[in-house]
Amino acid sequence: MEKILFVCHGNICRSVMAQWIFQDLVHQHHLDDQFEIDSAAVSSEETGNRMYPPARRKLTEKGIPFGEHRARRMTHADYDHFDHIYIMDDSNRRLIRRIVHNDPDHKIELLKKDGSSISDPWYTGDFEQAYQDIVQGCKERLDEILSQ
């Protein structure tokens, strides 16, 4: 089983959108029983909050099913548990390293394989661009995992 964790700043927009987008892609490939997928934050400021309403609306608009998720902060135990940890930007990388004390197992990677960041729609308001970038990254990472 492949264990995937998506991480962003607050776990109410990008990482939780990635969680459900990736889950939908896995489902389309009939691989649900081969993946464990979750998301978390590098901060605790949104802990306990639901997905941000505009993020929910974007997933609904695109036909991506989603369930209940409450924002949570990543822990060192998450680092030990998950095989792949996909982050949205370099700020996430700096903050996640404070939690896990570096990345000795080289599990932490930007979601997009080209190394570009996914802008935070909380600040930009551009949920369409975030969605497109997340879909691209999720497809690239799923293809990468399936080819191994």
Side-chain angles (χ1 to χ4, degrees):
M1 176 169 288
E2 292 286 335
K3 294 174 274 190
I4 313 294
L5 182 67
F6 296 98
V7 178
C8 70
H9 185 78
N11 191 215
I12 60 169
C13 293
R14 295 172 294 172
S15 61
V16 70
M17 287 174 69
Q19 174 185 347
W20 298 116
I21 291 166
F22 198 86
Q23 183 66 56
D24 187 56
L25 292 170
V26 165
H27 182 71
Q28 290 174 31
H29 284 85
H30 309 287
L31 300 170
D32 300 79
D33 60 342
Q34 296 179 36
F35 284 85
E36 178 185 337
I37 305 161
D38 199 0
S39 61
V42 291
S43 76
S44 57
E45 60 201 64
E46 297 289 348
T47 297
N49 290 336
R50 296 175 73 196
M51 189 182 347
Y52 191 50
R56 295 171 67 91
R57 285 193 294 274
K58 183 55 65 179
L59 292 181
T60 299
E61 172 192 319
K62 300 297 185 176
I64 305 294
F66 56 89
E68 184 63 27
H69 178 85
R70 298 285 179 165
R72 67 182 189 85
R73 187 171 186 257
M74 183 185 168
T75 66
H76 199 284
D78 287 323
Y79 183 84
D80 293 337
H81 178 75
F82 288 94
D83 302 312
H84 305 277
I85 301 171
Y86 297 121
I87 60 174
M88 305 298 144
D89 59 43
D90 284 325
S91 172
N92 300 155
R93 184 186 312 277
R94 285 189 299 278
L95 294 171
I96 204 170
R97 285 188 170 165
R98 291 181 185 168
I99 298 167
V100 300
H101 308 293
N102 253 327
D103 181 17
D105 299 326
H106 308 288
K107 296 180 179 187
I108 302 168
E109 297 182 81
L110 286 165
L111 178 58
K112 290 180 70 179
K113 287 189 68 167
D114 68 4
S116 64
S117 292
I118 297 172
S119 296
D120 192 341
W122 171 266
Y123 297 106
T124 68
D126 194 345
F127 284 84
E128 178 62 28
Q129 185 61 57
Y131 172 83
Q132 294 299 328
D133 288 343
I134 292 166
V135 167
Q136 177 188 346
C138 285
K139 286 180 177 178
E140 291 171 348
R141 293 304 182 171
L142 181 58
D143 289 345
E144 178 181 60
I145 291 167
L146 294 178
S147 70
Q148 294 175 349

